[in-house]
Amino acid sequence: MSKNGLLKLLETVLPPLGSFGIFLLVWHLAVAFFRVEPFLLPGPAAVAKAVIAHLSPLLHAARLTATGALGGFALSLVVGFLVALLFSQSRLIERSLYPYAIFLQTVPIVALAPLIILWIGHGMWGVVAVSFILSLFPVIANTTTGLTAVHADLLDLFALNDASALQVVVKLRIPNAVPHFLDGARISCGLSVIGAIVGEFFAGYGAEDFGLGYLIILTNAQTKTDYLFASILFSTLLGLSFFAVVSLARQVVLRRWRGGSE
């Protein structure tokens, strides 16, 4: 790695690490100074001990939640793109069906999840379904914008060259929509993790397996607050991991798509 690359990496990594360190210090001092009971707010050291003590079940739960979130996210990308492609073909279709897509964003997923589980069943597929529904709308909205926001001059140019409708879609609309699609994916990836955790509140994976959502409910019911904080920490790290991977993939794709200008 070059010196400039190393400096850029440090400029990116050090500020959030520094602010996180300050947050931990303030948290520790507040708990110690006000003598907060551990069942109300454990200190950072107690949470770290809970992570070490329960590392195996936390990793197992994170793996299951990640699987459900990844399934819902992948479905949202495929279905969201196809729906947006349908919307881009007709203003009438878009106006007729777009309000129903907005329905996915406005209805509280906590209210909708029990019905989804009732229809699909418990287990992984129920979790994937909830994750998919929560993460679908941003892909539809952003991709539809990219497919329809094509400059009129470019459409006229394709028309002058007798381009077919398929050629307009493949060579003009889809390339124009790629950045928008990736922006929608970056939003949806975090929502897919939230959806998976909410799905686990209601669906679960059976008597033996459990995800982070189940751990959050269980530790809260048992007032194991340090373990609860550890479960929340793993949920947060999982969401950040999804966001980081998708953001990195977006940068790589756009850099190649635009010839290195991104």
Side-chain angles (χ1 to χ4, degrees):
M1 181 180 293
S2 65
K3 185 178 180 180
N4 290 336
L6 180 60
L7 289 175
K8 187 175 181 180
L9 178 63
L10 291 176
E11 290 176 355
T12 303
V13 172
L14 287 181
L17 287 180
S19 60
F20 183 66
I22 294 173
F23 168 74
L24 290 179
L25 179 61
V26 172
W27 179 8
H28 172 75
L29 293 175
V31 170
F33 180 78
F34 293 105
R35 298 180 180 178
V36 182
E37 294 293 338
F39 73 90
L40 291 177
L41 179 63
V47 176
K49 290 179 181 178
V51 170
I52 296 173
H54 304 284
L55 184 59
S56 179
L58 283 168
L59 289 175
H60 178 74
R63 180 183 64 80
L64 275 178
T65 303
T67 303
L70 188 60
F73 177 55
L75 277 176
S76 71
L77 293 182
V78 175
V79 175
F81 177 80
L82 294 177
V83 171
L85 194 61
L86 176 64
F87 286 173
S88 69
Q89 300 308 300
S90 169
R91 295 291 294 176
L92 178 60
I93 294 176
E94 181 183 358
R95 290 171 182 171
S96 301
L97 300 181
Y98 198 83
Y100 298 101
I102 298 175
F103 170 82
L104 300 176
Q105 189 74 6
T106 56
V107 174
I109 192 63
V110 176
L112 198 59
L115 284 175
I116 298 171
I117 303 304
L118 179 65
W119 295 332
I120 296 178
H122 292 76
M124 179 61 73
W125 285 113
V127 174
V128 169
V130 177
S131 175
F132 160 69
I133 288 177
L134 189 60
S135 59
L136 178 61
F137 180 75
V139 179
I140 294 176
N142 283 270
T143 308
T144 300
T145 299
L147 289 169
T148 56
V150 178
H151 200 283
D153 291 343
L154 292 175
L155 291 172
D156 291 340
L157 178 62
F158 271 65
L160 287 173
N161 287 275
D162 295 325
S164 65
L166 181 61
Q167 289 175 321
V168 172
V169 170
V170 174
K171 296 185 177 181
L172 181 59
R173 293 193 183 276
I174 291 180
N176 188 73
V178 167
H180 299 271
F181 173 76
L182 295 174
D183 287 338
R186 190 164 57 167
I187 298 171
S188 291
C189 67
L191 293 175
S192 68
V193 176
I194 297 173
I197 292 173
V198 172
E200 290 169 351
F201 289 167
F202 302 95
Y205 298 103
E208 298 296 331
D209 288 330
F210 50 85
L212 291 172
Y214 174 81
L215 276 184
I216 290 172
I217 291 179
L218 179 65
T219 53
N220 180 62
Q222 296 176 344
T223 325
K224 296 180 178 179
T225 315
D226 53 350
Y227 197 0
L228 171 61
F229 269 68
S231 303
I232 294 173
L233 174 63
F234 269 66
S235 302
T236 303
L237 292 176
L238 182 61
L240 289 175
S241 299
F242 268 53
F243 183 81
V245 170
V246 173
S247 296
L248 179 60
R250 174 184 176 276
Q251 290 181 3
V252 172
V253 170
L254 290 185
R255 189 179 296 115
R256 293 183 179 181
W257 196 262
R258 295 172 174 172
S261 62
E262 176 71 13

